Amino acid sequence: SLPDSPEMASRLLKQMLDRYEAGDVDTKPSVISFSIAIKAWANSDKKKNSSRALQLLHQMNGFDGVTADIGVYNSVLRAIANDVDMSDKLDCIGSLLMDITSGGLQPDLNTFNNILRCCATTRSNDTTVKRNALKVASETLLSIKNSHRVQPDPYTFNFFIKICDRHAEDKEK
């Protein structure tokens, strides 16, 4: 919760990586090490927090046998949802969903709710972007409905209502 937490976590992770690469095998970062740094960025209100979280995710997935779990992807999706300056949220979440499924991971309710949150926080006056946000949100609700493992919660419906309010035409609302 400290203002500099994301930077501090990233610096500590970098120190671990540097020491590991210098031969200190006891400092090899794990999924948890990367996850803590990513979560710090996800909870941050700093500009470009999503790009830092995405950068750490890519670094993690390319690092010596360490791969992201669904919790890490959920944190990255949360960072994207919280980034008010990010303009390509919908493209980015589509790419992350492909990474999740191609990695053999199963989206959970947090994944779906974070996708809906990304759609709700997409800001644009462009009709195409708004339509795409509605499309992604509708597909996400259908994925939840078709899943036998996940049930929607009040957040699911709250996000969907916000999406409809922000992106649907008046007669569609």
Side-chain angles (χ1 to χ4, degrees):
S1 63
L2 297 174
D4 294 334
S5 293
E7 290 89 353
M8 291 168 39
S10 292
R11 268 195 309 273
L12 184 56
L13 179 62
K14 183 172 177 356
Q15 289 173 1
M16 292 173 73
L17 286 162
D18 290 345
R19 290 177 79 176
Y20 177 72
E21 289 171 4
D24 184 356
V25 295
D26 292 332
T27 61
K28 179 182 179 185
S30 67
V31 171
I32 295 169
S33 308
F34 281 96
S35 177
I36 290 168
I38 290 169
K39 194 169 190 174
W41 284 108
N43 292 330
S44 168
D45 60 356
K46 296 188 180 285
K47 291 204 177 279
K48 304 295 182 187
N49 64 333
S50 62
S51 63
R52 296 296 299 270
L54 284 162
Q55 177 186 17
L56 288 170
L57 173 67
H58 294 304
Q59 184 179 13
M60 174 188 192
N61 281 337
F63 177 73
D64 200 9
V66 178
T67 55
D69 59 18
I70 198 65
V72 171
Y73 280 102
N74 288 340
S75 291
V76 173
L77 286 165
R78 184 175 178 92
I80 293 167
N82 290 342
D83 192 338
V84 295
D85 295 325
M86 187 174 194
S87 60
D88 59 343
K89 288 182 183 191
L90 300 176
D91 292 336
C92 194
I93 62 174
S95 175
L96 286 174
L97 273 175
M98 285 193 301
D99 290 350
I100 289 169
T101 55
S102 68
L105 299 173
Q106 294 292 318
D108 60 15
L109 183 59
N110 286 330
T111 311
F112 293 126
N113 282 346
N114 279 317
I115 291 167
L116 291 172
R117 183 181 295 185
C118 288
C119 293
T121 59
T122 295
R123 301 278 191 245
S124 179
N125 291 325
D126 184 340
T127 306
T128 304
V129 172
K130 289 180 170 203
R131 286 243 165 265
N132 196 23
L134 283 165
K135 179 180 179 237
V136 170
S138 297
E139 289 170 353
T140 301
L141 275 185
L142 284 173
S143 294
I144 293 170
K145 181 183 177 216
N146 294 332
S147 170
H148 300 290
R149 302 172 303 96
V150 178
Q151 293 295 314
D153 66 6
Y155 292 106
T156 309
F157 296 110
N158 184 35
F159 290 133
F160 192 78
I161 290 168
K162 283 181 182 179
I163 294 160
C164 291
D165 183 52
R166 291 179 181 164
H167 300 303
E169 297 294 323
D170 285 336
K171 60 185 172 218
E172 293 175 314
K173 288 181 185 184

